[in-house]
Amino acid sequence: MHDALSLALILLAAAVFVVVLFRRLDLPPLLGYLMVGIGIGPHASGLLPDVGHVAPLAEFGVVFLMFSIGLEFSLPKLMTMRRLVFGLGTAQVVLTAFLAALVVKLAAQGWAAGLVVGAAAAMSSTAILGKMLAEKLELNSAHGRQIMGVLLFQDLAVVPLLILLPAVAAGGGALWANLLDAAWKAAVLLALLLGVGQRLMRPWFAVVAARRSPELFTLNVLLITLLLAWLTEQAGLSLALGAFVAGMLISETPYRFQVEEDIKPFRDLLLGLFFVSVGARLDLALVWQQAAVVGAVVAGLLALKAALVAGLARLFGADAGTAMRTGLALAGAGEFGFVMLSRGAELQMLSPGAQQVVLAALVLSMLASPFIVQESERLVRRWIGSDWMTRAMALHNIAVQTMGAQSHVIICGYGRSGQNLARILEQEAIAFVALDLDPRRVQEASLAGESVVFGDAARTEVLLAAGLMRAAAVVVSYADTHSALRILEVVRNQRPGMPVIVRTLDEADLDTLRNAGAAEVVAEIMEGSLMLASHALMLLGVPFNRVLRRIRSTREQRYSLFRGFYPGMTDSADEEPVRLHSVQLPPGAAAIGRRLEDMDFARARVDVTAIRRHGVRGLDPAPQTILEEGDVLVLKGRQADLAVGEALLLSA
């Protein structure tokens, strides 16, 4: 018992510190878990003397990861991207796996080891690439769509590969018999589960949801997931296959999004444990002895995948620049590569020495992946001369369409907010040019005769081509602070004084955007609060003129009355940490009889936004206000600072 507790404390402490460090470095947390495993594993510090202690729990991390993949499975999405998914994706996985397996076979490791290494090498990191493409606003770019299409097929390919590995591991003359046995079992089980499960899942979840018990709902999700995983294991297949099917079944119900939120803590925790167990298997001493071999494998893996994917992308009609960006992004290893390697090790398909080399190569290539993606643009421009011509043509098209525009508005982003703004500008006969990175949206809007062009508004050359030097204003209609700051920097450098209106989700980045040069910042949550307040006041009988005056006054104060909020159980952990906290002065409180200006709230980094005294609430109290027993002060600040502010008020 004490040994188990000690192990749990070691894992938790190491994971917390390392993951915090990796998040601070803007690197994926799963790499942090790998480093934790390497550091505490039996081949390093020995704090985790036996990987078998965490292996059973770690396997559930893969189960819940596959459940999440099944939950996100969308047949319409597959059909929309079928050429990229089943064309480019299939070609990439099959050819990468085959070439890697061939290299391993030539190294005298055998076809079974080759299959494991090939399956691991074929995978790329959905977590890393999805996050980086989203941050760079490239999910809808040409290379972004190709990357996501390939990643989607890789996720789907995990299921048949996990079925294939045990059949191949059995080996001998019964290889094809094993494959056929696994195939018919999978087909029968899938047909049964999907056929019967779809009819039962929706009504059963309705019964559970009707009880209105969050813990019952979560228990039901865990039961369904683990039950189907157990059924597939009993059929001689993998736990992951059953979890994937469970996710597919639940994805067809109205409860999908609630299930996704409920399962996320279990998935992330157990998946982190899985990567700890993977890292713990790495023998650094052996890897150091084989450093030259590991380096050659890493270089070969990155070069092979980059060249192969780029060549395939060209065959599927991409231009040279798009093909190279796709190849560089997909060159690194991925999460499922470790799943394949771990499964191969369990089935003893790899020798211990080969396993160490491949594991080290996967870790290093995955670490290199974010840096390769970050530098891909510079590399493409350096190596692909025609890319300049392609971009020049795109800029030329933008310039041609905006040549006659004068005193127009440049709308950055043509989603719903951008389109609504465009309608209003049209009604006022104000010219506009919209920039968007979704080619389908641009095509449809252009066909409808709207002034929309394809381009990244965060690039200097694109804004200049859109007529920045002749425009009257720029509007950032999408809520992405990072991209908005880049646009503000471009405008500040090229056209100081140009008014830029920026949309944001809440008040978290108001000051940052204002300091960067935004003329106005519109916070969605605040505007929603204002509309709620205005309707409530009018329904309560407050005269319309007073309502308008109150709303106008709040806006003129730069939303000061709405800055901060009282935290609640339903608030997201990602929301702005500036909050409101009420503190009542009890008898004997240190602040009684003192003035507000004497309380040194500046040192505590908190503000007093209101004081309620004898049932009357006063906003923005004067610094000379003398505090009395029973006063309720509303403090605004971050959680840690609020604790200091409360101590100033109460402690003698």
Side-chain angles (χ1 to χ4, degrees), residues 463-547:
L463 282 175
L464 290 174
L468 178 64
M469 307 310 290
R470 306 186 305 275
V474 174
V475 179
V476 182
S477 68
Y478 53 86
D480 187 305
T481 301
H482 179 70
S483 178
L485 290 172
R486 286 162 57 190
I487 293 171
L488 288 166
E489 183 180 4
V490 172
V491 174
R492 187 171 64 242
N493 292 336
Q494 300 295 326
R495 184 100 183 268
M498 160 78 75
V500 181
I501 301 95
V502 179
R503 170 189 161 200
T504 186
L505 289 177
D506 56 30
E507 73 271 32
D509 298 312
L510 276 176
D511 294 332
T512 301
L513 292 166
R514 288 283 297 166
N515 293 336
E520 292 294 341
V521 182
V522 178
E524 289 184 9
I525 292 177
M526 290 183 178
E527 286 299 325
S529 301
L530 287 174
M531 289 301 99
L532 281 171
S534 64
H535 287 295
L537 289 173
M538 285 189 287
L539 289 173
L540 290 170
V542 177
F544 183 64
N545 286 340
R546 279 179 58 189
V547 173

Side-chain angles (χ1 to χ4, degrees), residues 340-408:
M340 297 299 166
L341 190 62
S342 179
R343 185 63 174 148
E346 291 171 9
L347 297 168
Q348 297 182 342
M349 298 172 73
L350 271 175
S351 66
Q355 181 188 341
Q356 292 296 321
V357 170
V358 176
L359 179 57
L362 293 181
V363 171
L364 291 174
S365 70
M366 202 168 178
L367 282 169
S369 190
F371 302 102
I372 294 173
V373 174
Q374 201 66 41
E375 292 296 314
S376 61
E377 193 64 34
R378 186 177 62 83
L379 294 173
V380 169
R381 292 186 178 184
R382 180 177 178 181
W383 292 343
I384 307 294
S386 61
D387 189 64
W388 284 103
M389 183 63 69
T390 304
R391 289 189 173 274
M393 288 297 295
L395 293 174
H396 174 73
N397 292 336
I398 296 174
V400 167
Q401 294 187 54
T402 62
M403 192 172 293
Q406 291 284 345
S407 300
H408 58 291

Side-chain angles (χ1 to χ4, degrees), residues 65-282:
L65 178 60
M66 290 306 300
F67 175 81
S68 298
I69 297 297
L71 205 59
E72 295 172 4
F73 182 85
S74 168
L75 193 58
K77 183 179 178 181
L78 280 180
M79 291 300 100
T80 302
M81 302 178 68
R82 59 186 176 275
R83 186 168 180 272
L84 291 176
V85 175
F86 296 110
L88 181 58
T90 304
Q92 182 271 323
V93 170
V94 171
L95 288 177
T96 304
F98 174 74
L99 290 176
L102 184 61
V103 171
V104 173
K105 169 64 176 173
L106 293 175
Q109 290 290 325
W111 282 112
L115 176 62
V116 176
V117 175
M123 300 297 149
S124 304
S125 177
T126 304
I128 293 175
L129 296 177
K131 178 177 181 290
M132 294 195 73
L133 288 173
E135 287 177 350
K136 297 172 71 176
L137 302 178
E138 293 178 353
L139 281 172
N140 290 311
S141 64
H143 63 279
R145 293 195 310 280
Q146 290 199 330
I147 292 166
M148 295 311 296
V150 172
L151 290 173
L152 183 55
F153 182 81
Q154 289 179 1
D155 291 345
L156 295 176
V158 173
V159 176
L161 286 172
L162 287 174
I163 295 173
L164 185 62
L165 289 180
V168 174
L175 174 59
W176 290 106
N178 291 331
L179 288 175
L180 288 173
D181 182 57
W184 83 260
K185 282 182 179 178
V188 171
L189 195 61
L190 286 174
L192 183 64
L193 291 177
L194 293 175
V196 177
Q198 284 182 336
R199 292 184 176 88
L200 296 178
M201 199 63 67
R202 190 183 294 263
W204 173 246
F205 264 85
V207 170
V208 173
R211 307 284 76 79
R212 298 181 180 276
S213 170
E215 62 271 24
L216 177 61
F217 190 86
T218 303
L219 283 171
N220 181 58
V221 173
L222 294 174
L223 172 65
I224 296 294
T225 305
L226 297 178
L227 175 62
L228 293 189
W230 178 80
L231 285 174
T232 54
E233 187 184 40
Q234 294 304 304
L237 303 169
S238 69
L239 289 167
L241 176 61
F244 178 77
V245 173
M248 285 179 61
L249 293 175
I250 295 175
S251 71
E252 300 297 324
T253 71
Y255 309 100
R256 170 191 166 185
F257 298 106
Q258 182 61 46
V259 168
E260 193 171 13
E261 287 302 311
D262 286 349
I263 212 71
K264 189 176 180 181
F266 299 98
R267 181 198 67 192
D268 292 347
L269 179 62
L270 293 172
L271 192 59
L273 199 56
F274 168 75
F275 284 111
V276 169
S277 70
V278 169
R281 291 191 177 97
L282 189 62

Side-chain angles (χ1 to χ4, degrees), residues 366-630:
M366 202 168 178
L367 282 169
S369 190
F371 302 102
I372 294 173
V373 174
Q374 201 66 41
E375 292 296 314
S376 61
E377 193 64 34
R378 186 177 62 83
L379 294 173
V380 169
R381 292 186 178 184
R382 180 177 178 181
W383 292 343
I384 307 294
S386 61
D387 189 64
W388 284 103
M389 183 63 69
T390 304
R391 289 189 173 274
M393 288 297 295
L395 293 174
H396 174 73
N397 292 336
I398 296 174
V400 167
Q401 294 187 54
T402 62
M403 192 172 293
Q406 291 284 345
S407 300
H408 58 291
V409 176
I410 299 176
I411 303 175
C412 305
Y414 206 59
R416 283 184 292 181
S417 296
Q419 291 172 43
N420 290 334
L421 171 62
R423 305 287 179 272
I424 295 173
L425 293 176
E426 282 179 339
Q427 292 173 2
E428 295 295 327
I430 298 174
F432 70 88
V433 173
L435 298 167
D436 199 275
L437 280 172
D438 188 329
R440 184 176 179 183
R441 180 184 293 147
V442 170
Q443 182 181 13
E444 292 188 1
S446 298
L447 286 173
E450 300 186 25
S451 183
V452 186
V453 291
F454 182 86
D456 183 356
R459 295 185 179 276
T460 304
E461 61 270 21
V462 172
L463 282 175
L464 290 174
L468 178 64
M469 307 310 290
R470 306 186 305 275
V474 174
V475 179
V476 182
S477 68
Y478 53 86
D480 187 305
T481 301
H482 179 70
S483 178
L485 290 172
R486 286 162 57 190
I487 293 171
L488 288 166
E489 183 180 4
V490 172
V491 174
R492 187 171 64 242
N493 292 336
Q494 300 295 326
R495 184 100 183 268
M498 160 78 75
V500 181
I501 301 95
V502 179
R503 170 189 161 200
T504 186
L505 289 177
D506 56 30
E507 73 271 32
D509 298 312
L510 276 176
D511 294 332
T512 301
L513 292 166
R514 288 283 297 166
N515 293 336
E520 292 294 341
V521 182
V522 178
E524 289 184 9
I525 292 177
M526 290 183 178
E527 286 299 325
S529 301
L530 287 174
M531 289 301 99
L532 281 171
S534 64
H535 287 295
L537 289 173
M538 285 189 287
L539 289 173
L540 290 170
V542 177
F544 183 64
N545 286 340
R546 279 179 58 189
V547 173
L548 285 180
R549 219 169 28 245
R550 176 65 60 197
I551 298 301
R552 188 182 303 117
S553 169
T554 303
R555 287 199 177 105
E556 287 173 354
Q557 294 172 36
R558 301 293 181 201
Y559 303 103
S560 64
L561 301 185
F562 286 78
R563 301 284 290 273
F565 63 93
Y566 299 102
M569 294 291 290
T570 59
D571 294 324
S572 166
D574 295 330
E575 290 186 89
E576 160 62 13
V578 174
R579 301 182 174 192
L580 300 179
H581 176 53
S582 298
V583 179
Q584 186 169 22
L585 299 183
I592 295 174
R594 300 176 64 184
R595 295 182 301 181
L596 271 181
E597 60 186 358
D598 298 331
M599 294 306 301
D600 200 14
F601 285 120
R603 180 172 61 85
R605 292 182 297 185
V606 297
D607 296 318
V608 179
T609 63
I611 294 180
R612 183 167 63 84
R613 178 177 294 172
H614 307 307
V616 178
R617 186 166 179 261
L619 299 174
D620 293 326
Q624 296 79 24
T625 303
I626 298 176
L627 300 176
E628 299 178 2
E629 180 183 326

